[in-house]
Amino acid sequence: MFRAIVSTMHEIAQLKFAKRFVVAVFLIYLLPALASAGLWAMKEHPTGYRNARWSSAGILPEAKADNPAAIYVYSAMTGGLKGSIASHAWIVTKQEGAARYERYDKVGWGTPIRRNAYPPDAYWYSNMPRRVLELHGEEAARLIPKIEKAIEDYPYGEPGGYHIYPGPNSNTFVAHVLRSVPELGVVLPPDAVGRDYLPNGAFIHVADDWKDISLSLGGLLGVSAGVRSGFELNFLGLVAGFDVVNPGIKIPGLGYFGTGYQLGV
């Protein structure tokens, strides 16, 4: 009799936990994602790739007029319905005195890592780039070779090394570079789906400077914590969390609200 009572109480506790878990997932992840999809549907969007705007957004100076070495990381919402919750990121570098910028993207068509396929500050599917990182001068000059080495070492840099979800994709590529060069001091925005996919099937990544740690199950479930990440929980690629160093909150689908990321204007 006693065992039956204990077993019943245990089952009730499990049901309560399951119910609370489902409610939490709905409120924290699904509801904001649905709200983002609704807001997205109310806006005008290009009908396809050929109709989208891919020209310069005019937010970078001419390379010749910007003499010091420079590093930029940009992110912009992508196209189609996935654009309601997912973005695309890329890296831009310029050596001191160089006459042009160098842009690096990972894409799912053609050669996955593309160099200068688009203007460095171009719209992405007609969406304005957001500036994630901007670095100039001696520090940029010091870190550019490390960035180039990280790009060279990216394990999914050949044709076929791209899977839109959960990764490895364009954001997996940029996140790999940011992890490989922690001195850059940033992580991608929470809407950069695929950024939490750790290359080579890794379950854990500890930054070389020990300021960040990430646990990930194939980019589908995970947790990140540290100076750059703040505290984040990844559920099926949707990220919720908060940042203390750059105060703000990270809301699935809706993105980051705080002082860390800016519109590239």
Side-chain angles (χ1 to χ4, degrees):
M1 181 67 177
F2 177 75
R3 289 183 179 179
I5 293 174
V6 171
S7 177
T8 300
M9 292 178 64
H10 182 66
E11 291 176 359
I12 292 173
Q14 287 182 321
L15 288 172
K16 286 183 177 180
F17 174 80
K19 181 179 179 180
R20 289 171 181 171
F21 176 77
V22 170
V23 170
V25 168
F26 178 78
L27 293 177
I28 297 173
Y29 293 96
L30 299 184
L31 188 60
L34 290 171
S36 180
L39 292 172
W40 184 260
M42 295 169 63
K43 301 176 182 177
E44 292 186 4
H45 304 286
T47 56
Y49 178 88
R50 296 182 181 277
N51 303 111
R53 186 176 183 181
W54 303 93
S55 60
S56 170
I59 58 180
L60 278 178
E62 290 292 328
K64 293 180 180 179
D66 186 23
N67 188 64
I71 299 169
Y72 301 89
V73 175
Y74 284 109
S75 174
M77 301 310 288
T78 189
L81 182 59
K82 66 181 182 296
S84 65
I85 60 171
S87 59
H88 168 82
W90 65 94
I91 300 167
V92 176
T93 65
K94 187 187 73 67
Q95 298 283 1
E96 182 178 358
R100 71 173 190 177
Y101 295 98
E102 304 293 338
R103 170 173 171 161
Y104 301 91
D105 293 73
K106 173 76 180 295
V107 295
W109 57 90
T111 302
I113 295 180
R114 289 198 167 192
R115 185 170 179 172
N116 299 325
Y118 309 92
D121 58 352
Y123 290 89
W124 188 258
Y125 275 97
S126 299
N127 296 306
M128 173 69 78
R130 301 169 298 182
R131 187 173 63 246
V132 178
L133 170 70
E134 179 177 349
L135 189 63
H136 297 273
E138 294 182 2
E139 184 68 358
R142 183 180 72 84
L143 295 180
I144 287 175
K146 292 188 175 185
I147 290 174
E148 293 173 343
K149 181 64 165 58
I151 292 171
E152 180 182 346
D153 291 344
Y154 182 60
Y156 306 109
E158 299 300 322
Y162 181 97
H163 299 279
I164 191 170
Y165 178 81
N169 59 22
S170 60
N171 296 318
T172 309
F173 163 63
V174 176
H176 160 79
V177 174
L178 296 180
R179 290 191 186 100
S180 301
V181 191
E183 299 98 319
L184 292 171
V186 295
V187 297
L188 288 178
D191 50 36
V193 177
R195 63 173 198 158
D196 295 320
Y197 185 99
L198 297 179
N200 299 317
F203 170 69
I204 183 171
H205 177 270
V206 180
D208 290 343
D209 59 7
W210 291 87
K211 291 183 179 180
D212 259 62
I213 183 171
S214 297
L215 305 176
S216 179
L217 291 174
L220 291 171
L221 298 171
V223 59
S224 298
V227 173
R228 289 177 287 274
S229 297
F231 180 77
E232 300 176 344
L233 290 173
N234 169 14
F235 180 76
L236 302 182
L238 298 172
V239 173
F242 59 87
D243 197 337
V244 176
V245 176
N246 298 302
I249 58 173
K250 305 176 183 186
I251 303 176
L254 297 173
Y256 177 92
F257 296 86
T259 61
Y261 306 109
Q262 307 172 41
L263 284 177
V265 294

